[in-house]
Amino acid sequence: MDLELRNVQVRDVVLGDRNSLTDGVLTVDEAGLKKLLLEDPRIIAVKVDLAKPGESCRILPVKDVIEPRAKPEGDIFPGIFGTEVPQAGSGVTYVLKGCAVVTTGPIVGFQEGLIDMSGPAARYTLFSRLNNIVLHLTKRADVDPHEHEETVRMAGLKAAKWLGETALTATEYESEQYHWPSAAERGAQYPDLPKVVYVCNCMAQGLLHDTYFYGRDAKQLVPTIMSPTEFFDGAVVSGNCVSPGSKTTTYHHLNNAVIKALWARHGVDLNFVGIVLNPLMVTLKEKQRDIMMSVRLAADELGAEAAIISQEGFGNPTTDLMHVCRGLEKRGVKTVIITNEDAGTDGMSESLPDVVTEANAIVSTGNSNATLLLPKMDRILGELKEVERVTGGNVDSIKPDGTLLLEIHGIMGGHNLQGNTYLSATTV
């Protein structure tokens, strides 16, 4: 499997009357984008705004962030559009780097978050460094929360694909080449280096906590072996309203930091042999089945000698994280886990809801309960009042002088559990 990513750098975004990309400036056809999204009868209003790095601008509540991508042949986000489901991860994919589609509007679920384009909160999220095309989407009154989530999810993906197509005629780009051989070839490729597997835990809990694999709800999956290049082509997209700080947005899936880091070291000091996508379920029986299968796929099918496991969400999913780690360690697979900590605003509370003795190599993305006082912003895109209902906020978050008191939990990607974050922890 061979994939070429053609990365086209976007240094600025403006609104206009047609889509174009000239000298790094992306012009967005505002009327055309609204028309495209209003094709969904469940959407009654669309407002398009731009939020740029350094501006006094706050976006809240953020539902998803998506990097615009497109393929000259085949479909980006396979299984999302149309009736066919082409295989992702090969051919050519054009990527608009430096920009993103951000969806907002009336809140879907209480676990949506905030992006500040400047100030203290901007330091905790990579999204403050992007030129963001912000879609404020208003649904019909009769659309229930689950359908509301689907409506917003599809609108964001549709917009990202539509905008990504402006890159298809670009002649200036940076090329990334990925060759992913068969499992047998990978296993024999670097015989003197340890075989490393990545177990990617993804939300599949229902109640607005879902991930989509080739357009299908991950609750319908058992643990599955994937290629890195499938991630880069949008085979996995976000559909969840999990805690914003630890939420894996579609942008995170497309730019999975663990995959990128393992690929960079492949053939240097490790042999990256594969990925296991593990759906995080809610019942004990489903958890036990998926823990067993994840361990079997990593150890037996891929021959792992070492593994990295990333988490999504917190609380219930920590059980899956810990017990996959235990299962792999008992099979002799040296395992590192990535997790955040919920140690309370004073840092003194029990930081993990579950733990096993085998989890002796942990990368922490920091204390999500740490609190920030954020300055008043000149522009609010979305619904500021909703901060009272998001994770990390409360009814006293908005202060009389316009400042905002918020836990890091409430910042989109503030302690992302794929490690795509600026927050960490230090042993003292």
Side-chain angles (χ1 to χ4, degrees):
M1 190 178 293
D2 293 287
L3 176 69
E4 181 187 6
L5 296 182
R6 294 181 177 176
N7 297 319
V8 182
Q9 191 63 43
V10 174
R11 59 178 178 83
D12 196 13
V13 178
V14 297
L15 298 178
D17 57 7
R18 65 185 182 88
N19 284 349
S20 65
L21 183 61
T22 306
D23 296 328
V25 178
L26 175 65
T27 300
V28 177
D29 178 358
E30 183 178 4
L33 181 53
K34 289 180 179 180
K35 181 180 178 181
L36 175 74
L37 301 182
L38 287 169
E39 290 174 357
D40 186 334
R42 298 171 296 186
I43 299 174
I44 60 172
V46 177
K47 188 172 187 299
V48 181
D49 287 293
L50 303 177
K52 303 179 183 183
E55 290 185 338
S56 180
C57 179
R58 175 166 291 146
I59 313 169
L60 175 81
V62 173
K63 292 159 176 54
D64 197 10
V65 183
I66 311 113
E67 186 172 59
R69 298 189 175 203
K71 297 183 78 68
E73 296 180 7
D75 243 339
I76 201 73
F77 309 121
I80 296 292
F81 306 108
T83 56
E84 295 186 3
V85 186
Q87 181 176 329
S90 61
V92 174
T93 297
Y94 284 83
V95 185
L96 290 181
K97 304 300 291 186
C99 69
V101 172
V102 176
T103 49
T104 186
I107 200 164
V108 177
F110 65 91
Q111 293 177 325
E112 300 168 27
L114 164 149
I115 298 172
D116 276 1
M117 301 305 295
S118 62
R123 296 198 296 266
Y124 291 88
T125 175
L126 59 91
F127 303 133
S128 66
R129 293 155 172 79
L130 303 177
N131 292 287
N132 293 311
I133 301 103
V134 183
L135 307 179
H136 187 289
L137 304 164
T138 305
K139 68 176 180 70
R140 285 197 330 254
D142 62 330
V143 175
D144 68 25
H146 287 86
E147 198 172 1
H148 186 186
E149 182 282 315
E150 180 193 26
T151 301
V152 175
R153 171 168 31 96
M154 292 300 294
L157 294 171
K158 187 184 294 186
K161 177 178 182 289
W162 186 71
L163 290 170
E165 289 170 355
T166 61
L168 294 178
T169 57
T171 56
E172 294 186 10
Y173 51 80
E174 292 184 3
S175 178
E176 294 180 31
Q177 304 278 346
Y178 294 93
H179 173 63
W180 190 247
S182 68
E185 291 175 293
R186 294 195 304 274
Q189 202 167 25
Y190 298 102
D192 297 328
L193 297 179
K195 298 180 178 66
V196 179
V197 166
Y198 170 39
V199 180
C200 179
N201 289 336
C202 69
M203 295 302 296
Q205 297 182 335
L207 300 174
L208 304 177
H209 287 55
D210 292 306
T211 304
Y212 289 82
F213 175 73
Y214 281 97
R216 299 300 176 263
D217 192 334
K219 290 194 297 294
Q220 302 170 15
L221 298 182
V222 294
T224 302
I225 294 176
M226 286 187 66
S227 76
T229 57
E230 287 177 291
F231 273 87
F232 302 154
D233 263 356
V236 179
V237 303
S238 176
N240 70 64
C241 301
V242 70
S243 170
S246 59
K247 178 173 178 173
T248 308
T249 66
T250 299
Y251 187 102
H252 287 119
H253 285 305
L254 290 166
N255 295 277
N256 186 296
V258 177
I259 295 173
K260 292 289 184 75
L262 287 172
W263 201 293
R265 295 174 62 177
H266 178 60
V268 179
D269 53 6
L270 58 83
N271 183 4
F272 181 24
V273 293
I275 301 169
V276 176
L277 185 70
N278 177 34
L280 298 167
M281 307 296 234
V282 291
T283 69
L284 181 59
K285 197 165 205 175
E286 288 173 315
K287 286 179 181 295
Q288 290 173 334
R289 177 200 65 193
D290 289 357
I291 289 164
M292 175 273 294
M293 291 192 66
S294 293
V295 171
R296 181 179 65 80
L297 291 174
D300 296 340
E301 301 299 324
L302 295 173
E305 297 169 284
I308 296 176
I309 314 173
S310 66
Q311 184 176 337
E312 183 169 14
F314 65 101
N316 183 296
T318 307
T319 296
D320 306 69
L321 175 76
M322 291 294 175
H323 288 272
V324 172
C325 174
R326 167 178 278 177
L328 288 169
E329 285 280 346
K330 286 186 173 181
R331 294 293 304 275
V333 180
K334 298 297 183 183
T335 302
V336 175
I337 64 176
I338 307 173
T339 183
N340 70 299
E341 301 178 60
D342 297 298
T345 55
D346 60 359
M348 299 301 290
S349 299
E350 181 67 41
S351 60
L352 295 172
D354 197 357
V355 68
V356 296
T357 56
E358 290 82 2
N360 55 15
I362 300 175
V363 175
S364 171
T365 60
N367 179 21
S368 60
N369 298 132
T371 303
L372 299 173
L373 184 63
L374 306 178
K376 184 178 180 180
M377 292 286 167
D378 294 341
R379 284 199 303 150
I380 303 295
L381 305 182
E383 316 279 340
L384 181 62
K385 184 73 173 171
E386 302 288 20
V387 73
E388 297 179 354
R389 296 198 286 159
V390 305
T391 303
N394 57 62
V395 294
D396 296 319
S397 285
I398 304 173
K399 301 303 176 184
D401 62 357
T403 58
L404 200 65
L405 192 65
L406 189 75
E407 293 179 13
I408 288 173
H409 253 321
I411 300 171
M412 286 297 291
H415 51 88
N416 175 256
L417 303 181
Q418 291 178 351
N420 208 334
T421 177
Y422 300 102
L423 184 66
S424 186
T426 301
T427 301
V428 295

